[in-house]
Amino acid sequence: EVQLVESGGGLVQPGGSLRLSCAASGFTFSNYWMHWVRQAPGKGLVWVSRINSDGRSIGYADSVKGRFTISRDNAKNTLYLQMNSLRAEDTAVYYCARGPVGHYFDYWGQGSLVTVSS
Amino acid sequence: QSALTQPRSVSGSPGQSVAISCTGTSSDVGGYNYVSWYQQHPGKVPKLMIYDVSERPSGVPDRFSGSKSGNTASLTISGLHAEDEADYYCCSYAGSYTLAFGGGTKLTVL
């Protein structure tokens, strides 16, 4: 069974940093693209970032470019999102999602809530 | 990237058909056959319903179908069921290694 479990969310002050992790199991992690998608409370889905299977192809939404860094450790079956210079508008549930290719998501984690507030 | 444009809400009665549109530009929806659709019930995780414009994953009822014309993609749900009431989001590849979602459409089954 495919499982994606996010961790690392919490409350952080504006300007602060946080690192999210997504532990994958039930499939060959190193064969898949992985994505981060966020959803602010009561709002819609917003794509954040994606990384290909070997980590060499990466993309970011304009709203996070230069502040967030996506990475993966295929030996640990884990996806990461390093978030720096956090702003109130980054407050959201962050989902990791698996992509058979780079442009859609077939499995999603349960999400990790990030709250940016003083 | 700009968000794709979806109607905020649509509605239909059980057994009827509804279509949800997703309008972008030639740089995203119109430029690639990489449109996908997701269903999200309140408090739940999104679920893939359609990928590559019109492909349906295994387990998704054939009542759900996708299409595209120019810069607009559509999700059609035929023979509405009460459990189809949910939020629906389109997503498209937008070039330069980026993706874009639509703002979401709330489907109400009357």
Side-chain angles (χ1 to χ4, degrees), chain A residues 14-81:
Chain A
S17 297
L18 214 54
R19 188 177 84 156
L20 300 181
S21 299
C22 171
S25 61
F27 65 100
T28 304
F29 182 71
S30 59
N31 287 350
Y32 288 83
W33 289 76
M34 295 298 295
H35 301 254
W36 290 100
V37 176
R38 69 185 182 185
Q39 187 169 34
K43 302 296 184 181
L45 301 173
V46 175
W47 177 80
V48 173
S49 183
R50 72 172 190 175
I51 186 169
N52 77 330
S53 57
D54 65 8
R56 296 184 182 184
S57 179
I58 286 174
Y60 297 99
D62 288 344
S63 58
V64 307
K65 196 176 298 183
R67 300 188 299 123
F68 290 12
T69 302
I70 191 171
S71 62
R72 64 191 296 161
D73 186 335
N74 286 344
K76 295 183 177 180
N77 293 338
T78 303
L79 174 73
Y80 303 100
L81 186 67

Side-chain angles (χ1 to χ4, degrees), chain B residues 23-99:
Chain B
T23 300
T25 69
S26 58
S27 296
D28 38 60
V29 174
Y32 311 92
N33 288 323
Y34 293 155
V35 177
S36 52
W37 290 89
Y38 303 87
Q39 176 192 67
Q40 187 179 33
H41 288 105
K44 300 296 186 182
V45 172
K47 176 185 176 183
L48 175 67
M49 305 303 286
I50 295 287
Y51 66 96
D52 291 354
V53 175
S54 59
E55 296 299 315
R56 199 170 43 249
S58 60
V60 172
D62 60 6
R63 304 184 291 105
F64 291 84
S65 62
S67 62
K68 191 185 84 167
S69 177
N71 296 336
T72 299
S74 297
L75 173 71
T76 299
I77 309 171
S78 305
L80 272 176
H81 291 187
E83 59 264 31
D84 298 335
E85 184 163 296
D87 294 325
Y88 290 84
Y89 296 90
C90 63
C91 181
S92 175
Y93 181 67
S96 301
Y97 308 109
T98 66
L99 303 176

